[in-house]
Amino acid sequence: MKCIVQKYGGSSVADIDKIKLIADKIAKTKEEGYNIAVVVSAIGKTTNQLIEMARLISPDPPKRELDMLLSTGERTTMALLCIALHELGIEAVSLTGSQAGIVTNDVHNDAKVIEVRPFRVQDEMEKGKVVVVGGFQGVSYRRDITTLGRGGSDTTAVALAAALNAERCEIYSDVPGIYSADPSIVAASEHLPEISHQQMQEMSLAGAKVMNAAAIQFAKESNIAIYARSTFEPGKETIIRRLPTGAPKGVRAVVSELELVRIRLSSTTAEDSFKAALSFFSKNQISIKELNYFINSGDNNNISFLISYSNIYGWEKIKKHLLDTFQGHIQIEENLSAISIIGEGLTNGVDILNDTISYLEDNQIKIYGIATTSFRLSFLVERERIKEAVILCHKKWIEQEFHI
C-alpha cells in the first residue's frame, strides 16, 4: 500500500478543536487507501512555555534535563490526536521519537538524526493503523532523549518519509507554502509554487523559519518531494523537489537571520587560541555558522566565528566565559544580522554581488561581512537596519523581476 507522511506544526494543533479537525483530515486521507504516518509538534506555544518554566528555576538548565522536559510537549499532542482518531473509528497508535526509531547523535537541544529504524512504525502500519509520531525528538546511541532544535519536527517527518520510502511528505502549517520573503516584513512577497531542494536548504540555513535545513537535506538525498501547505486554507502549496535542468536562473527569495554574534580572536599564538575556542564550542555544543582564519605576516593572526544563538540557552554565561578566557584578545559583536539573497546562478559572475553592495551602500546600510555559496549571497548588517535591507533587496531583485 502507498505510504505518505504528514506533519502538523504547533499552530495546526493549537487547541482541541483544531486537533479534531486534523483527525478528520487524516481520516479522509486514510479512506483514500494510504498508509499514513503523522508527525506532530507540541500544542501552540507549549515548547516556549516549558523553556520559561525551566528558566524560572535556573537561567542555565542542564541540557539533558531540558530535552527530557521539552519532549513532553509532543507526547501530549500525539496522544490527544490518537484519542481523536479513535473517536472517528480510525485505529491509531502514538509513538515517541525513540519508539519510532529516530536515532540521533549525543548532542542535546540541537541533535542531528544519524539513522532511522522504522520497524515499529512499519509493523503498526501493516495492522492498518495510523501511526502518530512525536516530532522534534529522538534517542541518542546512549539511550538519552534528545531534541532536534527549532523546526526539528520537519526533520522527523522527512527522515521518516525517507526511511519508509514514502510517496511524498506533506508539511502543514499556518501558511500556504513558501514565499519570496517573510510576508510580515515584505507586503509584496510572492508565493513560490515550487522551489528546488538546494534553494530551500539555503533559505533555511540563512534564517527562513518555514522549513528546517536538516529536513531538506534528507529530502534532497532521498529525492523526496515535500508539499508545504496551509492546514486550514487549502489551495496554494509549494512543492520542494529536484527541479529539471534548465530551470530559470535568478533571485528567488530574500531572507534574514536576526540573532547572530561574531567572535573575533587576535593572538600571536593563533593556533592555540583556535584550538581552545573550538574545544569550548564543542564542549558546549555550539554550532559555528562560519569560520574565518587569517594568517598574517606580522605578529598577530586573526580568527572569527559567526554563531547563531537562537538555539543557545544561557548565552550570557557563555559570553562571560569567553571574555574571561581570552582577555584582551577577543571582540564580541552582538549587533549583527544577515540578509541573504537566494537563487540559481548567483555566483556565475560578480554583477549581482557588486550591484547589491552598491545598492545597500547607496541606502547608507553598512556591510560588515560577506559570504557566498552557489545558491546564496549573504551580507552582515546592523540589526536595526535588517528589515529595511530585506525590503530594499526584495524590491530590487524580485519585484523588478530580475533574471540572469
Side-chain angles (χ1 to χ4, degrees):
M1 187 181 292
K2 296 178 294 184
C3 168
I4 64 172
V5 174
Q6 296 180 337
K7 178 259 177 175
Y8 293 94
S11 60
S12 301
V13 292
D15 54 46
I16 296 301
D17 287 338
K18 288 184 176 179
I19 288 174
K20 289 180 178 179
L21 287 172
I22 285 172
D24 287 334
K25 183 187 290 285
I26 294 168
K28 290 176 182 177
T29 306
K30 181 67 174 173
E31 290 171 1
E32 294 173 3
Y34 287 98
N35 274 327
I36 307 173
V38 180
V39 175
V40 292
S41 297
I43 292 174
K45 302 295 184 181
T46 298
T47 300
N48 290 337
Q49 292 167 357
L50 290 171
I51 291 171
E52 290 306 313
M53 288 172 63
R55 284 179 171 166
L56 289 173
I57 299 172
S58 168
D60 185 22
K63 294 179 183 292
R64 181 188 183 278
E65 303 312 321
L66 193 59
D67 274 358
M68 190 67 75
L69 175 65
L70 297 183
S71 67
T72 64
E74 282 72 21
R75 296 182 187 211
T76 299
T77 310
M78 68 191 199
L80 289 172
L81 181 55
C82 280
I83 292 170
L85 286 166
H86 277 283
E87 283 298 297
L88 297 175
I90 302 293
E91 283 194 278
V93 60
S94 62
L95 299 178
T96 65
S98 59
Q99 290 172 322
I102 309 296
V103 182
T104 74
N105 60 11
D106 197 33
V107 174
H108 287 286
N109 304 163
D110 195 21
K112 305 301 182 216
V113 177
I114 58 176
E115 185 181 5
V116 180
R117 303 169 181 169
F119 310 118
R120 177 77 185 277
V121 176
Q122 293 168 323
D123 287 345
E124 298 294 351
M125 280 183 169
E126 288 178 3
K127 298 174 185 176
K129 296 180 181 180
V130 172
V131 181
V132 182
V133 178
F136 177 65
Q137 61 185 257
V139 62
S140 75
Y141 54 84
R142 296 178 60 185
R143 309 303 297 170
D144 275 336
I145 298 299
T146 55
T147 62
L148 309 181
R150 293 187 184 275
S153 292
D154 291 347
T155 306
T156 304
V158 181
L160 190 58
L164 294 171
N165 195 28
E167 182 177 292
R168 64 182 183 271
C169 182
E170 301 171 352
I171 305 289
Y172 291 92
S173 66
D174 55 358
V175 293
I178 313 301
Y179 284 78
S180 59
D182 184 341
S184 68
I185 297 175
V186 181
S189 60
E190 302 174 4
H191 180 264
L192 303 177
E194 66 175 6
I195 191 169
S196 70
H197 290 126
Q198 292 91 337
Q199 292 175 36
M200 187 68 247
Q201 188 172 30
E202 291 288 0
M203 287 179 67
S204 300
L205 289 170
K209 296 180 174 61
V210 287
M211 287 290 297
N212 180 280
I216 302 301
Q217 181 64 27
F218 274 104
K220 183 170 65 174
E221 290 175 352
S222 303
N223 196 25
I224 290 176
I226 300 175
Y227 292 72
R229 299 168 172 170
S230 169
T231 307
F232 305 111
E233 296 180 16
K236 286 184 179 179
E237 66 179 11
T238 298
I239 305 174
I240 305 164
R241 64 185 181 92
R242 181 180 296 167
L243 296 183
T245 303
K249 296 184 181 344
V251 179
R252 300 297 308 280
V254 178
V255 301
S256 60
E257 185 168 15
L258 288 181
E259 297 177 317
L260 294 177
V261 59
R262 181 161 61 184
I263 300 168
R264 295 177 182 270
L265 296 176
S266 178
S267 174
T268 55
T269 57
E271 185 175 351
D272 290 342
S273 297
F274 178 66
K275 290 180 179 178
L278 287 183
S279 177
F280 176 79
F281 294 146
S282 176
K283 180 180 178 181
N284 288 274
Q285 300 179 351
I286 298 172
S287 298
I288 299 170
K289 289 186 68 70
E290 184 181 317
L291 166 66
N292 291 291
Y293 190 169
F294 302 98
I295 301 175
N296 298 325
S297 57
D299 293 334
N300 282 341
N301 294 309
N302 298 296
I303 310 160
S304 71
F305 304 91
L306 190 66
I307 292 169
S308 171
Y309 57 92
S310 59
N311 272 353
I312 300 176
Y313 306 112
W315 164 245
E316 291 301 321
K317 181 179 177 181
I318 289 170
K319 181 174 71 171
K320 183 179 184 303
H321 179 87
L322 287 168
L323 290 170
D324 291 343
T325 302
F326 300 101
Q327 293 182 32
H329 299 286
I330 187 169
Q331 179 184 357
I332 297 179
E333 301 169 273
E334 295 181 276
N335 64 331
L336 300 176
S337 294
I339 175 174
S340 296
I341 297 171
I342 311 296
E344 184 86 25
L346 302 188
T347 55
N348 288 348
V350 296
D351 290 347
I352 297 179
L353 177 61
N354 280 337
D355 287 352
T356 303
I357 293 171
S358 298
Y359 189 56
L360 292 174
E361 290 178 344
D362 288 345
N363 284 277
Q364 290 76 53
I365 296 177
K366 185 176 179 180
I367 298 170
Y368 291 84
I370 298 173
T372 68
T373 71
S374 298
F375 299 91
R376 172 171 56 88
L377 305 176
S378 294
F379 305 87
L380 282 179
V381 302
E382 292 177 356
R383 189 167 301 166
E384 63 183 19
R385 305 294 300 278
I386 187 64
K387 288 187 178 181
E388 181 185 356
V390 170
I391 292 169
L392 286 168
C393 286
H394 189 275
K395 183 176 182 179
K396 179 176 180 62
W397 295 120
I398 294 178
E399 293 170 50
Q400 295 180 2
E401 297 185 351
F402 174 86
H403 297 286
I404 297 176

